[in-house]
Structure formats: structure tokens, C-alpha cells
Amino acid sequence: MANLKYSRQRASIKEYLMTTQGHPTADTVYLHVRKEFPHISLGTVYRNLNLLAEMGEAVKISTPDGGDRFDGNTHPHYHVVCTTCGDVMDLMMNPEYIRTINKKASEHFDGTIDSHRLLFYGTCPKCGRR
Amino acid sequence: MANLKYSRQRASIKEYLMTTQGHPTADTVYLHVRKEFPHISLGTVYRNLNLLAEMGEAVKISTPDGGDRFDGNTHPHYHVVCTTCGDVMDLMMNPEYIRTINKKASEHFDGTIDSHRLLFYGTCPKCGRR
DNA sequence: GTCTATGCAAAGAGTTTGCAGATGT
DNA sequence: ACATCTGCAAACTCTTTGCATAGAC
């Protein structure tokens, strides 16, 4: 589609997503990248996060609880939201099983199922042991 | 929790949710209920939709694409968003299978899985045949 | 030189909330 | 009577966008 031009801001945002363990919100990314680019704007962060997501170089995780989160891990996987601390964690699952869910859904739907979004809720190991 | 008092507005909203086939947004509910209560406010609609959802008398469907939707069908079931017309449809699934998904996820997560939100994307029968 | 990206600030969508008055029990 | 609910409008959160300028190629 559009002609993409290099930008240090975008590179820094991607670098951060690829190295962080967490699943930052746009604002968290903003606060981090601001250390390197004190004048970067939130708008630029959003523009680049969406760009990266469109290019498949990052994943946007939509959560009903607060702002969207972003993940540098582009392998197909799910996420768990800890209902105690609010943290978002990866949940690797067999890609085979991921496909199974769509297939199973197709059996109950008089149309085509292409994809799905699945978000788990639970308690993380940290919050579980008290 | 709080002492709940009857209100005609809430009754009307619930009535609409229970009888409509669709999965209206708060605004759609507002436009409908306004026929009966021309002076009802959007704030009241939101307050009551959230109340009904908290009481388990309705379900809030969070979609990443636009506003949340509400469903008077409180049986455990999933939803499909048609990527062509934007419509949201029910997808009934064996409750057994719904539990299976949590169980499967637990096997891959070092914590507790309590629940999940699952939203399908596809093409509805109407849009499928051209 | 040309086209894209940036910073800034303003606008946008969807939702919540404070308040004074109306309504339910 | 008293607590809850309502309408109204303002506020709030998250995100997008228009514009002039800076930067990439």
C-alpha cells in the first residue's frame, strides 16, 4: 500500500515491543520511548503501533478493561488477564488447537468462520500464592 | 449490594433486549426506547444496561470494533461478527466445549484460568451468497 | 525535490458521572 | 419520608486526525 519510510521513532517503538516481557499499553510505550525521544508525541506512538500491527510486526490485544495492549510476539498465541493484578501474560497454545476452535464454531454457524479473538481471565502465579 | 428499585425505563430496556433478535449497541437501545420515553437520556440507558449486565439479566459483548453490544440471551454462548455487514449473531456451543477451552488453557498456564471471552469473525449467510 | 513522518493540539467516539428534581416503596 | 432513579450536561478515557514543519530517500 503506502510507501513506508524509515523513522527512528518507529524503530525504537518496535525495539521496545520486541524486548519487553510485558504487554504495554500505548501510553506505557509512550512513557518508555520518551526517554530516548523526549519530544515524541502520543499521536506518533499510536500511528506507529497501528502501522506495526498492520504490517504484522506486532499484535494489538483488545481488552474490554482499559486501553488496548501491544505485543511484539507475533506467533499465534493467546493472553491471560490476571483479575487480581491486571497483568497480561502470554498463553502459548498448539496452533492445531487454535484451528480446531474455528472448525468447531463452523459446525454451529450457518456461514463462514475466518478467525477469532480469545482472551482468558484468571489468576497469575504471583497472585495465586499468598 | 444496592437496593434496587423498579423503573419503567429499565423495564422497557430489558423488554427490548429480550425480544429483539439483534445485539444492539447502547445507542440503538436508546433510539428504540426513546419511542416510549421521548425524554430518556443516553446516560440512563447506559446505567441500566450496566445494571442489567451486573445482575446477570443481560450480557455485555465487548467488541474491539466500535461500541459494546448487549444481548438479552443470558445462556452461555458466543458471537460472530460478520466482517462484511458488521452484524453480530449468536453462536450456540455445547457448554461442555466451553469448559473444555478453559481446561485446555490451564494446561498451558502456570496459574488459574477462570473464564474467557471469545468472539468469532466471519461472513454471515446473507453476505456469503452473492 | 518530493513524499512520508513528526509534534502539537484539537477533535472524535464511547462511556461515565455530579447534581437537582422526579419517582418508587 | 426516604432512597433510588432520571434527565441533563459536563467530564473523562482512549484514540484519531489536520496541519505546518522536519526528516528520509
Side-chain angles (χ1 to χ4, degrees), chain B residues 42-60:
Chain B
L42 200 46
T44 297
V45 172
Y46 272 106
R47 270 186 291 237
N48 281 308
L49 285 171
N50 286 332
L51 260 178
L52 291 169
E54 273 172 39
M55 294 187 296
E57 297 184 17
V59 176
K60 189 193 275 200

Side-chain angles (χ1 to χ4, degrees), chain B residues 47-106:
Chain B
R47 270 186 291 237
N48 281 308
L49 285 171
N50 286 332
L51 260 178
L52 291 169
E54 273 172 39
M55 294 187 296
E57 297 184 17
V59 176
K60 189 193 275 200
I61 311 166
S62 301
T63 74
D65 346 86
D68 292 348
R69 287 161 174 274
F70 294 84
D71 190 345
N73 176 1
T74 57
H75 281 86
H77 67 286
Y78 297 124
H79 294 99
V80 188
V81 179
C82 175
T83 48
T84 301
C85 67
D87 214 13
V88 176
M89 282 141 294
D90 286 328
L91 194 156
M92 295 328 237
M93 210 120 112
N94 190 340
E96 184 58 45
Y97 188 72
I98 296 180
R99 253 173 275 123
T100 301
I101 293 180
N102 283 342
K103 209 171 134 224
K104 198 84 183 173
S106 298

Side-chain angles (χ1 to χ4, degrees), chain A residues 53 59-63 68-69 77-79 98 101-102 113-120, chain B residues 62-65 78-79 81 116-121:
Chain A
V59 176
K60 189 193 277 203
I61 311 166
S62 301
T63 74
D68 291 349
R69 287 160 174 277
H77 67 286
Y78 297 124
H79 294 99
I98 295 180
I101 293 181
N102 283 343
I113 301 289
D114 297 322
S115 63
H116 65 258
R117 277 169 196 282
L118 176 51
L119 187 65
F120 290 97
Chain B
S62 301
T63 74
D65 346 86
Y78 297 124
H79 294 99
V81 179
H116 65 257
R117 275 168 198 283
L118 175 50
L119 187 64
F120 290 97
Y121 290 89

